[in-house]
């Protein structure tokens, strides 16, 4: 599921280039193809995340996948811009539904909070794989003269297989107990979680992380262009063969390193202090961003993609630890809250960076300064988390009550 979602969401940049030509839309109009699905995910996570706790993981996942599948297959008849944006927005709502169900399910199948973090890194690693293969599929389709919409048809096929699999797989069913706490789950209780310090803290961390991460795949190609005044991306200033190749495929290099880091994270996060790892890795992001800006494009060419390693385990750990701070009957609701802030960061971060860059002559360097500020605030938070360890007692209580059996 995570891979399928990433195949479509992280291909938007490639798709936007085709849509702008086909429908003669402006940059602002084309940006709706990114911002509206993110808004759909955010609102769906916040207002529908409770469904995973109310009706169960399996029905929620199947419902979300069914809506996503319908949206994907509908791209076969998507021949105008308004319909395309509408279908992308609908797919965002669907993602918010099935992803909160999936995130809650990870807690159900984990035997400890530490295993929860490792499993979450594994799931997000497949998201990283999807982020790599999705744009490659789009590029291949376009090269073969096939409409990019077939990417969504392919995703719809994967979605259909997932629905069939979900129907036959036996899910852990904690709701059989019919406890009063489960019966009373509602959207109002879900919204109330925003005020909880654990949910809010990890949600803000997710917002800051995603806002900083989005600078890489949204603004790094613009920053690395040698002559920003041209309409065509040129990398002539990178004289060496490897440097030119890396400049062209810098985003792909970032995604590969991020996916590899998450697979390693399955092992690493089960053996090391998660707070220490997050502090060191968030510090690594700040160093790479800062040195890349001060050292210029020749140095940023190597340091910016390298952040994929440091970013790899941060978001899955935020998700798992944030969810683990709550009993299992609230996992869907708190996953929805974190997902809301995640999508908000993905939408707001690039927009703010774009505004700052435009205000300074359109130079993407200034957008990366904003991203560095986001990363620095995140690092400060991770230092506090490591020194004070505010979740230690809470996680120990949940470990004893929810995972003791």
């Amino acid at each position: 599921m995570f891979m399928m979602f990433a195949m479509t969401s992280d291909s938007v940049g490639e798709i936007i280039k085709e849509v702008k030509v086909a429908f003669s839309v402006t940059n602002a109009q084309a940006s709706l193809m990114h911002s509206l699905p993110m808004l759909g995910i955010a609102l769906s996570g916040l207002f529908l995340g409770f469904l995973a706790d109310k009706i169960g993981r399996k029905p929620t996942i199947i419902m979300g996948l069914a809506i996503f599948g319908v949206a994907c297959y509908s791209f076969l008849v998507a021949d105008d811009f308004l319909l395309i944006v509408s279908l992308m927005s609908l797919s965002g709502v669907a993602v918010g539904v099935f992803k909160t169900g999936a995130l809650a399910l990870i807690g159900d199948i984990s035997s400890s909070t530490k295993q929860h973090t490792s499993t979450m890194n594994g799931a997000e690693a497949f998201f990283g794989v999807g982020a790599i293969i999705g744009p490659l599929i789009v590029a291949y389709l376009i090269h073969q003269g096939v409409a990019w919409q077939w990417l969504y048809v392919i995703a719809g096929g994967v979605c259909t297989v997932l629905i069939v699999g979900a129907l036959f797989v036996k899910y852990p069913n904690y709701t059989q107990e019919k406890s009063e706490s489960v019966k009373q789950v509602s959207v109002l209780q879900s919204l109330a979680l925003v005020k909880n310090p654990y949910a809010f803290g990890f949600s803000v961390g997710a917002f800051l992380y995603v806002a900083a991460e989005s600078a890489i795949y949204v603004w790094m190609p613009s920053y690395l262009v040698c002559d920003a005044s041209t309409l065509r991306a040129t990398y002539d200033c990178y004289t060496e063969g490897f440097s030119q190749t890396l400049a062209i495929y810098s985003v792909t290099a970032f995604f590969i390193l991020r996916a590899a880091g998450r697979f390693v994270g399955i092992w690493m996060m089960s053996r090391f202090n998660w707070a220490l790892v997050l502090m060191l890795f968030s510090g690594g992001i700040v160093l790479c961003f800062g040195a890349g800006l001060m050292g210029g494009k020749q140095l940023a060419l190597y340091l910016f993609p390298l952040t994929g390693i440091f970013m790899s385990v941060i978001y899955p750990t935020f998700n798992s630890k944030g969810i683990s701070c709550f009993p299992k009957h609230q996992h869907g609701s708190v996953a929805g809250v974190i997902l809301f802030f995640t999508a908000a960061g993905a939408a707001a971060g690039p927009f703010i960076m774009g505004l700052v860059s435009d205000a300074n002559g359109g130079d993407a360097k200034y957008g990366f300064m904003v991203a560095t500020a986001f990363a620095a605030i995140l690092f400060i938070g991770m230092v506090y988390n490591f020194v004070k360890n505010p979740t230690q007692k809470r996680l120990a209580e949940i470990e004893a009550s929810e995972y003791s059996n």
Side-chain angles (χ1 to χ4, degrees), residues 161-175:
V161 173
L162 289 172
I163 292 174
V164 173
L167 288 171
F168 289 98
V169 170
K170 184 178 180 180
Y171 283 40
N173 191 10
Y174 74 93
T175 56

Side-chain angles (χ1 to χ4, degrees), residues 6-7 38 50-51 114 162 168 174 215 230 234 252 288 339 341 390:
M7 282 172 54
M38 290 298 107
F50 76 97
L51 290 175
K114 184 169 285 190
L162 289 172
F168 289 98
Y174 74 93
T230 66
T234 58
T252 301
C288 286
L339 187 59
F341 280 87

Side-chain angles (χ1 to χ4, degrees), residues 240-251:
E240 298 178 12
F242 176 75
S243 295
Q244 277 197 338
T245 302
L246 181 57
I248 296 170
Y249 297 103
S250 56
V251 174

Side-chain angles (χ1 to χ4, degrees), residues 40-303:
I41 294 173
L43 296 178
S44 179
L46 188 61
F47 291 103
L48 299 178
F50 76 97
L51 290 175
D53 301 325
K54 188 73 172 181
I55 66 176
R57 320 311 195 201
K58 186 172 185 175
T60 302
I61 289 174
I62 292 175
M63 180 193 307
L65 288 175
I67 298 172
F68 190 85
V70 169
C72 285
Y73 287 128
S74 298
F75 272 91
L76 283 171
V77 295
D79 56 359
D80 68 81
F81 181 70
L82 180 60
L83 180 57
I84 289 172
V85 173
S86 298
L87 290 176
M88 286 185 165
S89 301
L90 179 61
S91 68
V93 173
V95 168
V97 174
F98 75 67
K99 190 170 182 180
T100 51
L103 292 172
L105 178 62
I106 291 175
D108 295 343
I109 64 175
S110 300
S111 59
S112 67
T113 57
K114 184 169 285 190
Q115 187 190 48
H116 192 180
T117 302
S118 295
T119 305
M120 191 72 75
N121 271 276
E124 291 289 351
F126 279 93
F127 180 94
V129 172
I132 297 169
I133 65 176
L136 292 178
I137 292 175
V138 173
Y140 177 78
L141 290 174
I142 294 172
H143 182 70
Q144 295 297 317
V146 180
W148 60 263
Q149 285 92 330
W150 279 94
L151 170 72
Y152 281 85
V153 179
I154 294 170
V158 176
C159 189
T160 302
V161 173
L162 289 172
I163 292 174
V164 173
L167 288 171
F168 289 98
V169 170
K170 184 178 180 180
Y171 283 40
N173 191 10
Y174 74 93
T175 56
Q176 287 178 342
E177 300 173 3
K178 299 297 182 184
S179 65
E180 288 301 314
S181 56
V182 173
K183 292 179 183 179
Q184 294 173 5
V185 169
S186 66
V187 65
L188 293 179
Q189 285 194 350
S190 181
L191 290 173
L193 285 174
V194 176
K195 297 185 294 184
N196 183 284
Y198 300 109
F200 183 74
F202 282 107
S203 294
V204 171
F207 178 94
L208 291 170
Y209 162 76
V210 174
E213 179 199 47
S214 63
I216 293 293
Y217 57 82
V218 174
W219 294 114
M220 179 171 64
S222 297
Y223 177 69
L224 294 179
V225 168
C226 299
D227 184 1
S229 65
T230 66
L231 297 177
R232 181 175 59 89
T234 58
Y235 301 100
D236 296 335
C237 56
Y238 306 106
T239 54
E240 298 178 12
F242 176 75
S243 295
Q244 277 197 338
T245 302
L246 181 57
I248 296 170
Y249 297 103
S250 56
V251 174
T252 301
F254 167 78
F255 282 141
I256 290 174
L257 290 175
R258 190 184 65 175
R262 285 177 176 172
F263 279 112
V264 174
I266 301 172
W267 169 84
M268 181 170 57
M269 299 309 289
S270 66
R271 288 168 172 79
F272 299 101
N273 182 340
W274 68 274
L276 175 61
V277 173
L278 261 58
M279 181 183 70
L280 295 176
F281 277 33
S282 60
I285 297 171
V286 177
L287 288 175
C288 286
F289 276 9
L293 287 172
M294 290 186 292
K297 297 177 182 181
Q298 295 287 347
L299 187 58
L301 174 64
Y302 297 93
L303 291 181

